[in-house]
Amino acid sequence: MRYCVFTTKHHDGFCMYDSAYTNLKSTSESSGLGRDVLREVADAFRSNGLEMGAYFSKADWSRPEYWNRSLPISDRFHNYSIGSRPRAWSRFVEFTRDQIEEILVGYGPFSVLWLDGGWVREPQEPIDIDGIAHVARLVQPDILVVDREAPGPHQNYLTPEQQVPSAPLPVPWEACISLTKEWCAMRPDDPAKSTAETIGNLVRIVAGGGNYLIGIGPDARGRMVPSVRQFLQDLSEWMRVCGEGIYSTRPPENPPLISSGDDLTWHLTERDGVLFAFGLSGADEVHASVLRVGAELSEVTMLGGGSLPFHKDGSMTVIMVPPSATRWATCLRMTVA
């Protein structure tokens, strides 16, 4: 991992930090926890060299200025006429901005302000997103602002949810995909997605120019479920070997033609003129293959292995690829002649 985006407040309005604007928080005397979770998480991640991002939902179902409890509640949207009660909505906008500012000022520095509640946007729910982004950048000029499902000039990158785009996007992006079925574990033995599937997602995302935000949530007791813990150990094992082809890479500007006569799918990344080719099978083990690359190469190495033989065949370079030196995916480093 290089960064963590932590849920400071979700749609229900419960704050995982010591907010001065509500008693619905983890530090409240009526809370069974009585701890400032955001402070503990931020300190722990930063002490290990990771950057922090703050997730914050613009919706807040606990506030009477959003859900008026004297009126029926039928969906996730506000349940009264903003036009007939403009002062109530104005108070909600101010409350939202105040909470975001207290997080950024009191718990920073943050690299990302990650705003959820994508339906809270103009014109139906005018939250003054430009004002929120302005406040965030006054506090932290270098912060990245993300606004779920609400693109605009205030936003620095897009966040497709629970999917890998089928084609590279023309703008900076980050896929947010939960590791378990939901955004939190529903039971102590909730299974995570397989390591092969998730590493496959990682490769496809990075080869498409994106970042991968893996959603990890505890169970109802606040514990990490065994399948999630095992996945993180597996991912660490693989990244120690293959991370060279992931970190600080981009899709090749002029990708060479690649083909393979078997069931492996291949994806390319590039850094400083060096190509990395990832072979995926969707299984825990990746078998031998023959890869044809439409470029002249001077050296080919399997990460975790050694140098590989290759030869020219017309305009193609043919690489004899043995079974992967790691589980889950083959990674080749290819130096272009």
Side-chain angles (χ1 to χ4, degrees):
M1 298 181 190
R2 293 293 173 90
Y3 64 103
C4 167
V5 176
F6 182 73
T7 304
T8 65
K9 187 185 80 167
H10 207 257
H11 314 327
D12 61 0
F14 187 86
C15 299
M16 299 297 284
Y17 69 98
D18 190 25
S19 176
Y21 298 100
T22 180
N23 207 38
L24 193 63
K25 56 187 179 180
S26 63
T27 57
S28 168
E29 65 276 5
S30 58
S31 167
L33 190 61
R35 290 163 58 182
D36 191 333
V37 183
L38 175 58
R39 180 76 64 198
E40 295 181 28
V41 169
D43 288 349
F45 274 80
R46 290 181 185 130
S47 68
N48 281 278
L50 282 83
E51 298 185 41
M52 284 296 300
Y55 167 110
F56 182 93
S57 173
K58 294 175 291 182
D60 191 327
W61 298 330
S62 72
R63 303 299 299 182
E65 304 93 343
Y66 193 84
W67 269 4
N68 184 336
R69 301 288 174 167
S70 68
L71 300 173
I73 298 171
S74 58
D75 54 31
R76 62 185 180 176
F77 299 89
H78 70 285
N79 68 333
Y80 64 92
S81 168
I82 294 177
S84 62
R85 296 188 60 203
R87 292 179 59 190
W89 185 256
S90 178
R91 286 194 298 270
F92 180 70
V93 172
E94 183 177 2
F95 166 78
T96 303
R97 190 167 53 242
D98 286 344
Q99 281 203 315
I100 291 172
E101 185 174 12
E102 75 174 346
I103 291 169
L104 299 181
V105 171
Y107 295 85
F110 290 100
S111 298
V112 179
L113 174 61
W114 208 103
L115 299 171
D116 201 2
W119 65 91
V120 185
R121 61 188 182 194
E122 281 75 5
Q124 293 86 358
E125 298 190 359
I127 198 66
D128 185 25
I129 188 61
D130 291 334
I132 289 174
H134 178 69
V135 168
R137 292 174 177 129
L138 280 179
V139 175
Q140 294 180 210
D142 295 330
I143 200 167
L144 299 173
V145 177
V146 179
D147 191 9
R148 291 287 294 121
E149 302 177 15
H154 59 280
Q155 180 167 255
N156 293 107
Y157 66 84
L158 299 181
T159 59
E161 182 174 338
Q162 299 289 37
Q163 62 178 312
V164 179
S166 58
L169 301 179
V171 295
W173 62 280
E174 165 200 76
C176 56
I177 303 174
S178 61
L179 187 57
T180 49
K181 183 179 179 181
E182 304 294 341
W183 287 103
C184 61
M186 304 303 288
R187 58 182 189 274
D189 59 347
D190 213 3
K193 294 181 174 71
S194 73
T195 302
E197 177 185 355
T198 308
I199 286 180
N201 284 341
L202 172 63
V203 168
R204 285 186 286 270
I205 288 166
V206 174
N211 277 4
Y212 192 6
L213 189 64
I214 303 176
I216 298 172
D219 64 18
R221 297 172 296 174
R223 298 174 182 172
M224 184 181 292
V225 297
S227 63
V228 171
R229 185 179 300 276
Q230 182 61 53
F231 162 76
L232 292 175
Q233 292 172 347
D234 290 344
L235 181 61
S236 175
E237 172 189 325
W238 188 81
M239 289 295 286
R240 277 195 295 269
V241 178
C242 300
E244 178 185 354
I246 297 294
Y247 293 126
S248 302
T249 62
R250 296 290 184 269
E253 289 188 11
N254 299 295
L257 176 68
I258 57 174
S259 64
S260 179
D262 50 38
D263 59 353
L264 295 188
T265 59
W266 290 88
H267 303 268
L268 295 176
T269 64
E270 182 180 30
R271 184 178 66 246
D272 299 329
V274 176
L275 290 173
F276 297 90
F278 292 91
L280 304 174
S281 68
D284 288 347
E285 305 295 335
V286 184
H287 53 70
S289 179
V290 177
L291 178 64
R292 298 170 62 85
V293 181
E296 186 172 348
L297 306 176
S298 61
E299 183 182 13
V300 179
T301 304
M302 176 180 283
L303 298 188
S307 296
L308 300 184
F310 59 92
H311 63 273
K312 287 287 290 181
D313 181 11
S315 63
M316 305 296 286
T317 298
V318 181
I319 306 169
M320 309 307 293
V321 184
S324 177
T326 63
R327 292 187 289 169
W328 307 298
T330 292
C331 184
L332 307 183
R333 182 200 299 116
M334 305 184 298
T335 303
V336 179

